[in-house]
């Protein structure tokens, strides 16, 4: 199922325009406007593109939290913020 979703994302045409529309729709939600903190992710590979909107999110006055994957001292994967 994950492979099918990955292949579908890779085959999608006009990712930039579709990403802009999807991100714009999220940024118009009343919940986003009311939030003091927003969880953001940075796109990679074929994911919905979000990098273009990050500067405006950072300038919005909201606390923007971006999770990322890292490795701890023992070499185990962990989630950072």
């Amino acid at each position: 199922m994950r492979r099918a979703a990955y292949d579908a994302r890779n085959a999608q045409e006009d990712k930039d325009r579709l990403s802009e529309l999807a991100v714009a729709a999220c940024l118009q939600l009343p919940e986003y406007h009311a939030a003091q903190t927003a969880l953001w992710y940075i796109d990679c590979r074929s994911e919905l593109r979000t990098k273009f909107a990050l500067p405006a999110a950072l300038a919005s006055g909201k606390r923007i939290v971006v999770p990322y994957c890292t490795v701890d001292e023992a070499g185990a994967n962990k989630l950072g913020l």
Side-chain angles (χ1 to χ4, degrees), residues 2 6 19 28 39 45 50-51 62 67 71-73 75:
R2 287 178 54 134
Y6 179 79
S19 293
Q28 293 304 312
L39 180 67
R45 296 182 292 278
T50 59
K51 290 178 201 164
K62 298 180 185 303
V71 177
D72 67 15
E73 303 78 31

Side-chain angles (χ1 to χ4, degrees), residues 18-56:
L18 293 172
S19 293
E20 287 177 13
L21 291 171
V23 171
C26 289
L27 297 180
Q28 293 304 312
L29 292 171
E31 294 84 356
Y32 180 78
H33 285 282
Q36 294 178 8
T37 301
L39 180 67
W40 204 270
Y41 82 95
I42 305 298
D43 59 277
C44 67
R45 296 182 292 278
S46 64
E47 294 176 337
L48 178 83
R49 296 185 174 129
T50 59
K51 290 178 201 164
F52 72 92
L54 187 55

